[in-house]
Amino acid sequence: MMQGANNQHPFDDATGLGDGGGLAPIAPDPAQIALFADTVFSWCEGLIPLRGIAEKGLDSQVRPENTWCPADSHAAEAIGSFVQRASESRRASYAIPGTVAGKGQARAADVQQMQAIVVDLDDGDIEAIKAHLLRHLGQPTLVVESGGRTVEGQAKLHLWWKLTEPAAGADVDRLCRLRGDIALKVGGDRHFASAHQPIRIPGSVYRKNGVNRLVRIRAHVPVEYDLVDFIAKVAETPPLPGIALAKGEEVFQGKPSVDAVLTTPVREGGQDDWSRFQGASAAIGHFLRMVHDGRMSKAEGWTAICGYNVAMLRPSWPLERLGSETARLWALHIENHGPEKPQPVPGPSASRLEAFSLGALIDDDREMPADLIAPRVLTPGGMLVLGGAPKVGKSDFLISWLVHMAAGVPFLGFTPPRPLRVFYLQAEIQYDYLRERLKQIALPPAVIAAARDTFFATPKLNMLLDGSGVARARDAICAAFPDAPPDIICIDPIRNLFDGGPPNASGGGGGENDNNAMMFFLKDRVEALRDAVNPDAGVILAHHTRKAGKQQVKDDPFQALSGASALRGFYTSGLVMHRPDEDSTVRRLEIELRNGPAIPAKVIDKIKGRWVELDPTHERLVRAEVSAKHDAERLRKHDVILTTLFEEAANGNLYSTTQFAEQFENKGGLGSKHTIRDRIGVLATKGHVKFLRDATSFGFPRITSRSGYLCVEGMRFKPQESTDPETGEIIEIAPPVLPSHYKCPQSGVTLEVENPTVWVYPEAEEEAPATSPRLKSEVAP
């Protein structure tokens, strides 16, 4: 929490100068501005539109200031500088909570990405509304006091819920529709159904009507929400008691959907949620896009436009006006998108669908096509999706893998038939950092030499893989491989290049969570690119996974792939990289094949700059974290036992197994005497504990049992006085306690030690406990 709900901000109007009309010297708060920038813009790309507006009620002649700053690591600093300038000129500081592509853009249609949902509460019982929303939607990431007060004196609030990832494309429209629906249910500001609605920046100064307050963050909780889950929560949220919604009432302040336009009558005089002009323009635009994309002839498009005019406009437009508006929009569409696509011509020239009988398929004994990456991980014309959470090492792993494939060298059991031609189309890493990463990956010199001319990578791309993007990518690939086409085309990641196509009645034009949009991207963009350069090339798509619990990832890792479920039904093989234990660098690589037999998951790690495969038989399958804690506890007990035996001997005490267990029961965290006996038995089998049967030289009786007194390596008895025969000097000597017997690790039988001065461990023992007493003392001669 940034501040408690009842704590007054040091720059608030506690002096009595706020509501009274004087202007106290309040300064903007950079820390709150930075927290706002992180919540609303941290993952977005593009430019943030900022607005400096003269406050209502102030005698100010200042002109509004509009500026745009990049949504990068310096965004908080840039916003802070803007707020400082606005404060000095007595302007209010606003931001559109989304990003646009270029300067000068600030319309709703210009907003490309948004990563937070906001509701503006400026009327009614604000605290009751907030409690209602917290109960049904969950804890907001930010609770902001906007500076205003209601008639009853309550602080007006902005509530922000941060998303797990930025919304883009059609998801921006969904997010804005969601903001409007929330406002509708609780009596909030419905203007936020529009993407370009600006909002006050926390940390700036509120001066409306002479009041002087800081727009302050009352509370901050670092929580995030998935957009799809949040949509479901809003749908289930009941209206605030006292707010009655008309049957079927919806929010249309933002751009209406095509389905709503085509099915909702519109009357003249602005009686409805949009005007006849807005409705006609949207409907005409929709049918013109279908004509342009070749899904309708011009005659069919004009007939559909006339049908909408008759059915939905009350009264209908005259045909002359309808025709002139259609011609105007068609000319504008051609100017922006180029000539229309030709209509497909049915007839004998159309390709014939092939079908094969069972006998023909069984009798075909030709050799199977060689795998691009064996065994059946990537086949000719196949598509592989590699998923993983951000920062799991997905791109680093992918680069290492692709370079090995380009060199024709196996990698973690994935084998190419020969050196492959690889084109890496990536949109995350800039040029300088790409070359740095390639140098940091410990690639063998032979692999680098073999792949120097067969692996090509782009620096970070700032484009979509739309129609023009496919053409640009095709040209780049052909220029990289002029003599022979590529074997592998890799796109990393899907999200940064995703194009869901133009909006249409069947649902196209959505984001990556939309099945129709995902199918459009895979078929009309990815496969179109492959078909343009090499129909037999394999495609690798890098993709993010959504936030999911460890058990969910374990049960069905491929359900964690972000976006639409259509992706999983389309690819031929899938890989998901994840960390079962966040405190460990070890990753699991889950593998799913459609064209081959199942492959067990691989356990991999990056050691000294190289990816290596670990032995999965050493990996615990059940309750790994709990088991690791038990392992650590067992090692601790071993260390305590060995150290205690060592120190007790130095104090003149020797123990048999039974006496030691009874003496040190429940001491040093060793547990019961039975637990201590069991641990000593394990240490004896591993060679860390041996036995001395005749300890009469130390003043202890001889033991006739099968074991004896317990010994550890380097153990010495309490120093005893002795006289130097040459000098007559009295000196203290700590005699070594050397074993006479040891426990055979195979049979458990007690055997005699051949050479007591040489401490021998069984060959199967890999390492001694971390704090073995021999590291603390000198080994006996």
Side-chain angles (χ1 to χ4, degrees):
M1 302 286 284
M2 186 166 181
Q3 295 183 33
N6 297 320
N7 293 340
Q8 194 163 29
H9 193 278
F11 292 123
D12 204 353
D13 53 351
T15 60
L17 300 176
D19 292 334
L23 293 182
I26 294 179
D29 188 336
Q32 298 198 49
I33 294 171
L35 186 53
F36 168 74
D38 177 75
T39 301
V40 182
F41 302 111
S42 57
W43 296 325
C44 292
E45 296 181 348
L47 300 177
I48 304 169
L50 303 173
R51 299 288 177 265
I53 304 172
E55 284 281 27
K56 180 181 179 181
L58 291 184
D59 184 17
S60 176
Q61 301 299 319
V62 295
R63 295 171 59 87
E65 178 186 358
N66 298 328
T67 189
W68 288 258
C69 73
D72 55 18
S73 58
H74 303 291
E77 182 180 348
I79 297 173
S81 299
F82 166 79
V83 170
Q84 183 64 41
R85 293 196 309 272
S87 179
E88 292 170 356
S89 61
R90 299 175 69 183
R91 296 186 182 95
S93 300
Y94 287 81
I96 293 176
T99 53
V100 297
K103 292 184 177 181
Q105 297 181 352
R107 300 176 304 167
D110 296 329
V111 177
Q112 293 187 334
Q113 290 187 340
M114 305 180 88
Q115 72 174 49
I117 298 169
V118 64
V119 60
D120 180 8
L121 306 179
D122 54 10
D123 192 19
D125 188 346
I126 304 296
E127 293 303 318
I129 298 173
K130 186 185 77 158
H132 181 80
L133 291 175
L134 264 66
R135 183 165 54 254
H136 294 286
L137 300 183
Q139 175 67 49
T141 310
L142 293 181
V143 177
V144 178
E145 292 186 4
S146 61
R149 298 289 188 268
T150 65
V151 176
E152 294 80 10
Q154 292 193 44
K156 298 181 179 181
L157 300 180
H158 297 157
L159 306 185
W160 294 89
W161 290 269
K162 186 177 181 181
L163 299 178
T164 56
E165 56 190 16
D171 283 342
V172 171
D173 295 332
R174 293 187 181 96
L175 187 151
C176 294
R177 184 62 175 267
L178 210 58
R179 299 195 311 188
D181 287 341
I182 298 171
L184 181 67
K185 290 186 175 185
V186 298
D189 188 346
R190 292 178 62 180
H191 288 91
F192 282 91
S194 177
H196 70 303
Q197 177 68 22
I199 193 166
R200 285 186 186 268
I201 298 173
S204 66
V205 182
Y206 172 99
R207 292 194 177 96
K208 185 180 289 188
N209 297 320
V211 174
N212 194 30
R213 298 190 187 96
L214 194 73
V215 180
R216 73 185 187 100
I217 297 175
R218 176 192 290 183
H220 168 236
V221 179
V223 292
E224 300 172 358
Y225 296 88
D226 179 80
L227 178 59
V228 176
D229 294 341
F230 207 79
I231 290 173
K233 286 186 176 183
V234 173
E236 295 172 358
T237 299
L240 189 72
I243 294 181
L245 299 182
K247 184 177 180 180
E249 184 173 11
E250 295 181 86
V251 179
F252 288 115
Q253 277 80 353
K255 183 180 178 181
S257 67
V258 172
D259 287 343
V261 168
L262 298 179
T263 58
T264 305
V266 189
R267 296 165 292 178
E268 65 180 348
Q271 302 177 59
D272 302 292
D273 289 297
W274 59 84
S275 66
R276 288 193 304 160
F277 177 80
Q278 291 174 312
S281 296
I284 293 171
H286 164 69
F287 292 120
L288 291 184
R289 282 190 295 271
M290 297 191 70
V291 172
H292 185 271
D293 293 340
R295 300 196 298 271
M296 253 187 196
S297 67
K298 289 183 178 180
E300 291 170 336
W302 174 245
T303 300
I305 291 169
C306 292
Y308 170 82
N309 181 47
V310 172
M312 294 299 162
L313 298 188
R314 311 285 175 79
S316 302
W317 275 5
L319 285 180
E320 291 183 3
R321 182 181 180 186
L322 191 67
S324 62
E325 182 64 14
T326 300
R328 184 185 70 81
L329 291 178
W330 178 250
L332 184 62
H333 194 80
I334 293 296
E335 179 182 347
N336 292 334
H337 301 284
E340 72 271 24
K341 296 179 181 178
Q343 282 279 107
V345 180
S349 60
S351 59
R352 181 175 61 88
L353 289 176
E354 292 185 300
F356 301 95
S357 67
L358 173 64
L361 292 170
I362 292 178
D363 294 340
D364 191 341
D365 294 328
R366 290 176 296 176
E367 291 187 7
M368 295 296 294
D371 296 339
L372 291 173
I373 301 177
R376 297 291 176 90
V377 176
L378 185 63
T379 53
M383 180 179 294
L384 181 150
V385 172
L386 171 63
K391 310 304 181 186
V392 77
K394 181 173 65 270
S395 293
D396 192 286
F397 170 83
L398 186 56
I399 291 173
S400 299
W401 188 12
L402 293 176
V403 171
H404 278 79
M405 298 302 98
V409 176
F411 178 76
L412 303 182
F414 301 130
T415 307
R418 52 177 172 77
L420 303 177
R421 294 175 293 276
V422 178
F423 194 90
Y424 183 40
L425 192 74
Q426 68 92 24
E428 281 192 326
I429 311 172
Q430 296 171 328
Y431 172 81
D432 290 321
Y433 304 102
L434 177 62
R435 63 185 177 89
E436 179 185 53
R437 177 171 292 190
L438 282 166
K439 293 175 183 178
Q440 289 174 345
I441 299 174
L443 295 169
V447 171
I448 295 176
R452 292 185 70 91
D453 299 320
T454 53
F455 175 85
F456 279 79
T458 65
K460 180 179 179 180
L461 297 173
N462 292 312
M463 71 174 198
L464 295 178
L465 200 62
D466 52 14
S468 62
V470 169
R472 291 176 62 190
R474 177 202 60 206
D475 294 343
I477 295 172
C478 293
F481 300 107
D483 300 325
D487 299 299
I488 295 177
I489 301 169
C490 180
I491 297 174
D492 181 13
I494 290 177
R495 177 174 300 163
N496 290 14
L497 295 166
F498 186 84
D499 172 49
N504 55 65
S506 61
E512 62 180 272
N513 292 317
D514 185 285
N515 279 313
N516 290 320
M518 177 60 74
M519 290 299 293
F520 179 90
F521 177 72
L522 296 174
K523 297 170 76 75
D524 290 42
R525 298 303 186 228
V526 177
E527 288 197 332
L529 174 61
R530 177 180 61 193
D531 293 343
V533 292
N534 179 15
D536 292 328
V539 173
I540 297 178
L541 303 178
H543 196 34
H544 295 303
T545 53
R546 63 172 63 94
K547 288 190 175 181
K550 292 182 181 179
Q551 189 61 40
Q552 180 183 352
V553 175
K554 178 181 177 182
D555 292 342
D556 193 348
F558 296 93
Q559 286 294 346
L561 288 173
S562 182
S565 60
L567 176 64
R568 188 176 184 185
F570 198 86
Y571 62 67
T572 56
S573 53
L575 278 70
V576 169
M577 177 188 290
H578 66 98
R579 276 198 179 111
D581 183 354
E582 292 299 325
D583 296 328
S584 172
T585 60
V586 175
R587 288 86 157 173
R588 275 181 67 88
L589 197 63
E590 312 287 350
I591 306 171
E592 180 180 58
L593 302 184
R594 190 155 290 129
N595 290 339
I599 298 178
K602 293 179 179 289
V603 181
I604 61 175
D605 197 2
K606 192 176 183 183
I607 300 176
K608 295 182 179 180
R610 295 188 182 185
W611 289 94
V612 297
E613 184 174 3
L614 308 179
D615 187 352
T617 60
H618 293 169
E619 182 191 26
R620 281 195 170 91
L621 301 179
V622 179
R623 304 184 69 189
E625 294 181 5
V626 175
S627 299
K629 292 179 181 179
H630 290 170
D631 287 346
E633 175 62 14
R634 280 190 288 268
L635 285 176
R636 187 196 66 81
K637 289 180 179 178
H638 288 182
D639 291 344
V640 171
I641 291 172
L642 297 179
T643 302
T644 302
L645 287 171
F646 188 87
E647 293 175 348
E648 285 292 311
N651 292 326
N653 299 316
L654 298 178
Y655 297 93
S656 66
T657 300
T658 300
Q659 287 304 113
F660 183 87
E662 293 177 352
Q663 178 69 23
F664 292 96
E665 183 179 37
N666 292 327
K667 294 183 180 179
L670 292 178
S672 70
K673 65 180 182 180
H674 304 291
T675 300
I676 297 175
R677 289 176 63 92
D678 290 342
R679 292 300 97 204
I680 291 175
V682 173
L683 289 170
T685 298
K686 294 185 175 182
H688 297 293
V689 169
K690 297 184 182 181
F691 308 102
L692 172 62
R693 287 184 176 175
D694 186 2
T696 55
S697 61
F698 301 110
F700 288 84
R702 178 184 177 87
I703 289 181
T704 58
S705 66
R706 69 185 186 93
S707 55
Y709 295 102
L710 304 176
C711 300
V712 298
E713 185 179 5
M715 187 171 174
R716 289 179 178 270
F717 198 69
K718 181 179 181 180
Q720 301 175 0
E721 291 186 354
S722 177
T723 302
D724 190 322
E726 296 183 359
T727 64
E729 181 182 4
I730 296 177
I731 59 176
E732 288 189 346
I733 297 177
V737 181
L738 302 178
S740 61
H741 292 75
Y742 72 98
K743 183 179 180 181
C744 177
Q746 283 79 34
S747 64
V749 175
T750 303
L751 304 175
E752 289 190 10
V753 173
E754 295 182 3
N755 186 353
T757 62
V758 178
W759 198 279
V760 178
Y761 291 92
E763 294 182 0
E765 179 67 16
E766 295 181 357
E767 59 179 348
T771 55
S772 173
R774 61 182 174 177
L775 301 179
K776 301 179 181 179
S777 63
E778 210 175 84
V779 178

